Amino acid sequence: MFDGEPALPSAVLLGGDGNVLTGHQAWHAAATDPQRFIPAPRQSPEQRLTVAGSDVDPLDLVAATLRRVAGEAQRVVGSVVEDVRLVVPAGWGPRRRTWMRHAAHRAGLPQPRLIEAPVAVAGHLVAAGVQLPVGSFIVVCDVGAGAEVSVLRRGPAGFEVLATLADPSAGGNAIDEALATMLANGSPPDEGQRWPLLASVGAAKQALADRVAVTVPLPQGSAVVLNTGLLEQAAHPVLHRVAQLTTETIAAAEINTTDLAGVYCVGGAARMPLLEKALTETASVTPTLVPDPATAAVRGAADAGAADAAAVGPPVEVPVPPVRRAVAIAVPGLASLALIWQYFLTAEYNNGSRILRGYHYWVLLNWGELAMAAVLALLACLAAGTVLGSLIAVHSPTPDVRSEGGKVSVGILAAVSLGVAVAGLYAVVASQYFRLPMGGFLRWALWPITPIVLMAVAVAVVAARQWRAPHGGWPALLTVPTGSVITATAGMLLIQYSLTATRWPHLELWIDIAGRLGGLLLGVGVVMALVTPLAFRLILATPLALIAAAIVSWQASGVLAVFYAIAVAVWWAARLWTRIVRPATPTPSQQAQVAMRAVDSPPHGGG
């Protein structure tokens, strides 16, 4: 709080003794010393300022305001300010940004981080729970002391400004000037009466948000009544200009109003109902007033970098798959080939062969091994398809809504199709190889992978809607633990060996031990897919592994494979829920922060 108000105007008054009054104190002293009052000390870098006949460096005046903010922050927090964010207009170039950094340095502050106002507002919206998908476009209409309208697009790394237009005469200051002229009987007040009248008008304008009429005291003469009709009359041309700026900015961004995910109004003058009417009629858009619009930008700046990166903007996808991701693709693929190879070579024929079969010809097959091979083939395809879809999205030149999540979704769906096709191919080839009906092979190849397919399709839908991208990117999210794949594959290979190996008397014990060890490994692989913490894995692995080892047999091998398929589907569901639908909220940074936004406006107006 500054002088009982939740905002500090950037106005200053340079006293004859060299002391600088800031904020509301400067406004109160302006009536007695108007020549030394500066309502907007921010100047262009090359401009000099003259106060009472003397040249003054504007940096000193802005630094005085920043110094007071930092002092108040230190008093409230109880520690030295270490992190400074300054909100600046999106249209500022490098010279004005450097000028602002120099002002912060002169105020004794650390090196500040400059954040563009519309980007800060967009970050505040996302942190507040507004769903802005990656690839979507929004308009931020900032109506404070002046007006700045920006079109932003949410990209993989955050929000980027596509176009911005500003007009310093289309904001709260212009409305206050028009009202002051109206109340002064059509003639601008003299210098001595101007600042007190503008202060009264600004306070009255804010009060009209909740009242039909208010009394405005005049510096000289009796008080007058200001009603909403007079306010709308003064504000109409100003807010109509804001609507024109909005139309021009959308056109400059080369998009249509139908492409917009929302139009959001912030700033002290954004509360006026006439603004919504002007935007709807002139710009053909339906605006949304951001809660507490005067502080939305500074709140977004304070949140920047302190919240989970996924809350503000999804992280950039890895441009080249690292070695571990290539391994995550290769391991399930090679494991699937190893299982299907053993499946074909270790089948036991009875009453004939697959070439010359008798009337009672039949084959003893490990259906669980076929099911495991199908599951791992699907996982390999999904790992590859997710990475490829992410890479295509990152390098896509098209800035439409489908450029990120849409391409990831296409990659996932293509991978699902390929994985199902490979599983079906296993069944068809096995049917032809063994010269047996195809129905049983298709059931064991396709039914166990159905839960995984359903979860993959659900993830593809989430990616296509671009509701929320996971931290670290889609490939990191959807890569099944390699350790689980290796352990479960080794277990099934040992189980099949124990069931089909020639039982010489001196090897029978070792063959049985290999089968039980295979059951243990398969049980451990299921647990590794279900839970991540080591303590939970140790607790669950012991009973499940012992049960799997105890039931190893021809009949139970299929059941064990189905258990593993279900475990993988549960793993996908858990990742989808904990990383996207209900991501965990990170612990906030404990570092002292202060975010500031210079306000060139009257003490109760502007924004």
Side-chain angles (χ1 to χ4, degrees):
M1 301 291 290
F2 300 93
D3 303 319
E5 297 290 340
L8 178 68
S10 59
V12 297
L13 188 141
L14 181 60
D17 56 357
N19 291 329
V20 180
L21 299 179
T22 60
H24 301 281
Q25 297 173 3
W27 275 96
H28 294 158
T32 57
D33 203 354
Q35 300 297 326
R36 295 182 174 275
F37 178 70
I38 305 98
R42 286 192 306 180
Q43 306 291 332
S44 60
E46 66 278 357
Q47 185 175 354
R48 300 296 296 179
L49 186 64
T50 301
V51 178
S54 301
D55 288 341
V56 178
D57 190 350
L59 280 175
D60 291 331
L61 304 181
V62 174
T65 298
L66 298 181
R67 195 178 297 112
R68 184 176 178 193
V69 173
E72 182 66 15
Q74 293 177 10
R75 187 190 67 80
V76 173
V77 177
S79 62
V80 177
V81 172
E82 300 176 357
D83 185 2
V84 180
R85 291 97 187 272
L86 291 173
V87 179
V88 298
W92 272 19
R95 295 189 65 188
R96 302 194 83 177
R97 294 169 188 254
T98 301
W99 187 89
M100 202 65 188
R101 290 189 179 95
H102 289 166
H105 176 72
R106 190 165 297 187
L109 296 173
Q111 182 68 15
R113 175 182 175 185
L114 302 190
I115 302 176
E116 296 177 335
V119 175
V121 171
H124 174 65
L125 292 172
V126 174
V130 178
Q131 295 182 9
L132 298 177
V134 174
S136 61
F137 303 93
I138 66 169
V139 171
V140 174
C141 190
D142 192 343
V143 191
E148 182 183 66
V149 182
S150 305
V151 175
L152 297 89
R153 174 180 176 269
R154 187 175 187 183
F159 289 94
E160 56 180 333
V161 179
L162 301 183
T164 184
L165 294 175
D167 188 345
S169 63
N173 282 357
I175 297 175
D176 291 348
E177 292 281 0
L179 282 173
T181 301
M182 292 173 59
L183 296 180
N185 298 322
S187 60
D190 58 41
E191 195 69 17
Q193 300 177 3
R194 181 186 178 196
W195 306 124
L197 179 57
L198 285 175
S200 299
V201 166
K205 185 182 66 175
Q206 297 297 318
L208 284 177
D210 303 318
R211 297 175 177 85
V212 177
V214 294
T215 301
V216 180
L218 298 180
Q220 293 182 355
S222 60
V224 296
V225 176
L226 177 63
N227 55 37
T228 55
L230 291 176
L231 176 59
E232 291 185 2
Q233 181 181 345
H236 182 271
V238 176
L239 299 183
H240 181 72
R241 175 56 183 152
V242 174
Q244 288 180 331
L245 277 178
T246 303
T247 301
E248 294 169 4
T249 308
I250 294 173
E254 298 182 350
I255 62 174
N256 300 317
T257 55
T258 55
D259 299 324
L260 296 174
V263 177
Y264 299 94
C265 297
V266 296
R271 298 185 182 91
M272 301 183 65
L274 189 59
L275 177 60
E276 179 180 359
K277 181 180 178 181
L279 290 173
T280 303
E281 295 179 352
T282 304
S284 301
V285 295
T286 303
T288 300
L289 179 63
V290 177
D292 198 4
T295 62
V298 75
R299 291 180 184 275
D303 289 338
D308 185 7
V312 176
V316 180
E317 299 285 356
V318 180
V320 178
V323 174
R324 62 183 178 84
R325 199 147 298 149
V327 170
I329 299 172
V331 167
L334 295 176
S336 176
L337 293 176
L339 289 173
I340 201 67
W341 174 80
Q342 188 186 48
Y343 176 74
F344 281 114
L345 294 187
T346 58
E348 293 187 359
Y349 302 91
N350 294 272
N351 292 344
S353 69
R354 67 182 182 87
I355 300 176
L356 299 173
R357 59 183 180 182
Y359 180 77
H360 297 292
Y361 166 82
W362 57 282
V363 183
L364 189 60
L365 299 169
N366 185 349
W367 296 110
E369 193 163 33
L370 175 61
M372 281 278 293
V375 168
L376 297 179
L378 176 61
L379 294 181
C381 292
L382 286 170
T386 306
V387 172
L388 290 177
S390 300
L391 293 177
I392 293 173
V394 168
H395 296 288
S396 173
T398 57
D400 58 8
V401 175
R402 299 178 295 275
S403 61
E404 280 84 16
K407 289 185 173 63
V408 173
S409 175
V410 170
I412 295 175
L413 293 177
V416 169
S417 302
L418 179 60
V420 173
V422 171
L425 182 63
Y426 283 171
V428 172
V429 171
S431 174
Q432 295 300 313
Y433 182 84
F434 295 117
R435 295 176 179 265
L436 293 174
M438 194 178 300
F441 296 97
L442 288 175
R443 283 195 298 272
W444 282 100
L446 298 181
W447 277 113
I449 67 174
T450 300
I452 305 175
V453 169
L454 294 177
M455 291 309 309
V457 171
V459 172
V461 171
V462 172
R465 291 183 58 191
Q466 302 178 59
W467 173 27
R468 184 183 289 116
H471 180 69
W474 291 103
L477 176 77
L478 302 179
T479 302
V480 176
T482 303
S484 172
V485 173
I486 295 175
T487 304
T489 301
M492 183 56 73
L493 290 173
L494 288 174
I495 290 175
Q496 178 68 353
Y497 167 76
S498 70
L499 295 177
T500 59
T502 302
R503 291 182 170 271
W504 300 103
H506 64 287
L507 293 178
E508 186 170 355
L509 176 62
W510 296 107
I511 293 173
D512 286 340
I513 292 176
R516 304 304 173 186
L517 178 60
L520 285 171
L521 292 176
L522 188 52
V524 171
V526 169
V527 173
M528 292 176 68
L530 286 175
V531 295
T532 300
L534 180 60
F536 290 164
R537 285 181 173 179
L538 294 176
I539 295 173
L540 293 179
T542 301
L544 190 59
L546 292 177
I547 293 173
I551 65 173
V552 168
S553 63
W554 282 103
Q555 296 79 6
S557 62
V559 175
L560 294 176
V562 170
F563 280 167
Y564 185 73
I566 294 175
V568 172
V570 171
W571 179 89
W572 272 61
R575 300 279 281 190
L576 177 62
W577 181 261
T578 59
R579 299 297 181 90
I580 302 177
V581 179
R582 289 290 185 271
T585 302
T587 303
S589 172
Q590 300 300 318
Q591 186 183 34
Q593 302 176 355
V594 56
M596 288 168 284
R597 185 182 189 184
V599 182
D600 296 336
S601 65
H604 299 284

